[in-house]
Amino acid sequence: MVKCPRCGYDNLSSSAYCENCSYILNGSPTGQRGNGWKMGTAKKIALIIGIIAIALVLFSVIYTFSQPSHEESLNVVVADNNIQKGSSHPYEVKVKYDEDWYFKGGDPSYPQEKHGHGHEIIKLDVAAWDKVQVLVERYDGSSENMVIQLLRNGEVVAENSTTSNQVTLSYQS
């Protein structure tokens, strides 16, 4: 007779399980006693670190693919809940002058500068909701008309021209 260590029931010596509570008596049906994982502490720590590393990699992949693109992050929701599509460079300045000129413009706190010659379009690094200021100066003493246009997503939103040495433009959407 084999006494069950869990409930104390006397079982036949040939029983693999307790007839009262189904506890494994003399090992599993294959004859081995089930003591759980036989693994050293170092292996357990390595397994836990591996699981954490895999979880971090999965989290970073999910986070990366769930973020909006640069262009999507520049979209603006207005008061009537419509989405105004932005772009990575919604503003451009078109300089119309045949000679040498100097440009300074964009966000007044972080202006861009450029020297150019002839007609040119300059992309501004400002968001659709930023204030835009533009200054274009000519390098020669010409009295030819100098024109600057501010374009937003390809459409002219402001324009100014002059025959003097500089022309300025300021715009707030």
Side-chain angles (χ1 to χ4, degrees):
M1 298 290 273
V2 176
K3 189 171 193 168
C4 176
R6 181 190 288 164
C7 69
Y9 184 80
D10 285 329
N11 294 285
L12 297 173
S13 54
S14 61
S15 298
Y17 298 97
C18 175
E19 295 174 21
N20 186 41
C21 68
S22 302
Y23 184 79
I24 298 174
L25 297 174
N26 293 326
S28 65
T30 60
Q32 296 177 348
R33 184 156 178 89
N35 288 337
W37 289 0
K38 289 190 176 184
M39 188 184 299
T41 305
K43 287 184 181 179
K44 288 179 184 176
I45 291 172
L47 179 65
I48 291 170
I49 290 173
I51 291 170
I52 291 171
I54 291 171
L56 288 174
V57 168
L58 287 174
F59 176 76
S60 68
V61 168
I62 290 169
Y63 179 79
T64 300
F65 286 110
S66 67
Q67 297 303 305
S69 71
H70 180 66
E71 287 191 14
E72 289 172 337
S73 66
L74 289 176
N75 290 340
V76 178
V77 178
V78 292
D80 62 359
N81 289 328
N82 288 329
I83 296 177
Q84 290 182 340
K85 290 282 189 184
S87 70
S88 56
H89 298 285
Y91 288 111
E92 298 173 321
V93 172
K94 184 185 280 187
V95 178
K96 294 181 178 181
Y97 184 62
D98 291 328
E99 300 299 325
D100 294 331
W101 46 264
Y102 164 77
F103 163 85
K104 183 176 183 180
D107 183 340
S109 302
Y110 307 100
Q112 297 168 239
E113 296 185 51
K114 179 177 176 82
H115 296 277
H117 179 84
H119 301 283
E120 190 169 335
I121 295 178
I122 304 162
K123 291 185 183 279
L124 300 180
D125 290 328
V126 295
W129 52 86
D130 287 339
K131 181 176 184 176
V132 178
Q133 289 182 339
V134 177
L135 165 75
V136 179
E137 295 179 344
R138 68 175 86 222
Y139 281 140
D140 57 11
S142 169
S143 61
E144 180 185 336
N145 195 32
M146 182 168 50
V147 178
I148 58 171
Q149 293 178 326
L150 180 64
L151 302 125
R152 181 174 175 187
N153 296 323
E155 296 181 23
V156 177
V157 292
E159 182 174 333
N160 202 356
S161 64
T162 187
T163 55
S164 67
N165 285 339
Q166 69 180 22
V167 60
T168 60
L169 189 81
S170 185
Y171 180 79
Q172 176 82 42
S173 63

